[in-house]
Amino acid sequence: MKYPFDAFREDVIKKLSSLGYDNLRIEEPKEEIADLALPCFQLSRTLKMPPDKIAEEVASKLEAGGWIEKIEATRGYVNFFIDKNRLADETIKLILSLKDSYGKLDDKNKKVIVEHTSANPNGPLHVGRARNPIIGDTMARILKFGGYDVITQYYVDDMGRQVATLFWGVKNLDIEVEESKADHRYVVFYQEASKLMEKDERVREEINNIIKRCEEGDRELLQEIKKIYKPVLEGIMESLNRLHIYMDEFVEESRFVLDGSVYEIIEKLASLPYAGEEGKAIYLDLEEFGIHGRNKKFFLTRSNGTSLYAARDIAYHIWKGNRADIMINILGEDHKLEAEQVRIALKLLNEKIPDVIFYSFVSLPEGRMSTRKGRVVYLDELIDEAISRAREELVKRGREENEKIYTEIGIDAIRYNIIKVNPDKAITFRWEDALSMEGESAPFIQYAHARCSSILRKADFHPLNHYDFTHQSEIKLIRTLAKFPDYITRSINSRNPAIIADYAYRVASDFNIFYRDCKVIGDDKEKERLALVMATKQVLKNVLSLLGMEALEEM
RNA sequence: GGGCCUGUAGCCUAGCGGAGAAGGCGGCAGCCUUCGGAGCUGCAGAUCGAGGGUUCGAAUCCCUCCAGGCCCGCCA
């Protein structure tokens, strides 16, 4: 699919090429300035001419044409302007004909596995971890839209200390818990068992023994453990489903022990010159790969011969890499070192390397979230609170108390408020931010969509052969609608879903300005404007679906 | 001791080599005889953490320092 701005960019490149200027960096300035621009400062040295002279000369040699309406030289830049009439006409037609597919990019014929969440199934998700599934799910949606074949995966750590502790707790402790949701009920056993383990040597040994048996590949025990963690995992997924997050596949860590692949990989790594042994434990010395200090030793096995988590992670990535062209992992920043170690190991084995989106933590004003210290806000609490807050807002506005609507508004507010911040930025959780429903927020965007729907309900839309727009608020809106595919590309290339959240806001904001300036129903330009409203509604719907949010007809 | 990330107005954020640093919240002043006011307009508010450097050009790149987060276990 070639979109108007793509065609325009090609025309600009072609023009410059006709003068012998190839491979120059063309930039996209602020839209009030121009649509594309060529800065001439670097050419200044080779051509031995002042930049403004170069710009003037280039501009004078080029003629408008094709998608280019006008070429101007300004202060050392050659500015290119797109043919606005054609842009408006073609963009509107394109949106109205492509509908839900508008903005999609060509099929890449590449398979992507997005691994996200992968939380230990020992209790409910708290909001400190909620960033992970929201980033992962949104990125997966964007990649699909961008033409990739995407599968989402949850890597289930079914043989680590946390699950073993949970298992021990459930088997040995007798605790009455009223909670009906399994993740919330079982976490109490986990917490109790953790406490006991700290002060009771025997408990610790029993748990260690469970871990050891798992690592040795005790299928029966693993099955028993699965019976315990499964309901917890289902509880986690139930919470995620509330946020419109679904998972395609669950991959159990134990499979890489059971099928022996971890040990094959360890053997291969152990034969490398970087390998070493301490007792019987095998490690790689990563000094040469830029990892210094006391953590340069990357251990793959324990001295009892069993594999370590990171070794299994390597096996998992090799397995994944055989099933995908691109791997994208969503990980908390605390996993940076481990991810780097795994990356080096994969490289040494000549295997595919994953891209990782790291996110910073969500903490509370009092400090980092901790289930143990009771300093947590669970995702379910946040969701419940958001929904009840959305209901209040509806009541406040004298609207109908429709459960489907306020549930949707509450949920989407959470998703939006989390996704709009770049992943590498730490977030301090504050209820008023997490539940924000005005300004840069989900309801702002949904409201624009509901407004479009409301207008369209009141009038009959008939398509035209040609669309003509003149008001600057119309043009600004259309330009924003036309840039949708560019934002998809940017978001995918930079692996940053926050870019799409920002785009959604811009569309809604530009629509509000258009709405203020341009009367639709009853105006001379009603037919054109109805088409523009229709197109805006479509783009809002498409972008909302990328964010996992619902396009509401009313709210 | 070693390393990664972040620092932009009272608060939250965008921009990450190019053209008066862009939004939101909060504050102040306005906008309902127009299609939904979860909206819109205007005003005030920024030595882009500090100091050096590279460059025709630095919030953006490099170095040093300061502050905050995160990691450095034969845990996961």
Side-chain angles (χ1 to χ4, degrees), chain A residues 279-299:
Chain A
K280 282 190 171 172
I282 300 164
Y283 66 86
L284 293 177
D285 187 326
L286 302 184
E287 180 86 54
E288 273 186 46
F289 304 95
I291 297 192
H292 308 287
R294 58 192 179 217
N295 54 315
K296 60 176 193 170
K297 282 182 187 170
F298 172 36
F299 279 91

Side-chain angles (χ1 to χ4, degrees), chain A residues 256-307:
Chain A
F256 304 106
V257 171
L258 297 176
D259 70 6
S261 58
V262 205
Y263 297 103
E264 285 168 33
I265 288 152
I266 290 169
E267 232 174 273
K268 266 191 223 166
L269 287 167
S271 69
L272 295 172
Y274 315 100
E277 266 185 56
E278 204 171 285
K280 282 190 171 172
I282 300 164
Y283 66 86
L284 293 177
D285 187 326
L286 302 184
E287 180 86 54
E288 273 186 46
F289 304 95
I291 297 192
H292 308 287
R294 58 192 179 217
N295 54 315
K296 60 176 193 170
K297 282 182 187 170
F298 172 36
F299 279 91
L300 302 166
T301 67
R302 292 194 173 83
S303 44
N304 68 10
T306 60
S307 62

Side-chain angles (χ1 to χ4, degrees), chain A residues 27 102 129 172 182 187 250 299 310 387 413 418 426 438 449 479 481:
Chain A
E27 54 185 56
Y102 173 72
R129 297 208 181 102
N172 293 281
V187 73
F250 294 83
F299 279 91
I387 292 170
I418 289 180
E438 54 187 13
H449 183 271
R479 193 192 300 267
L481 299 181

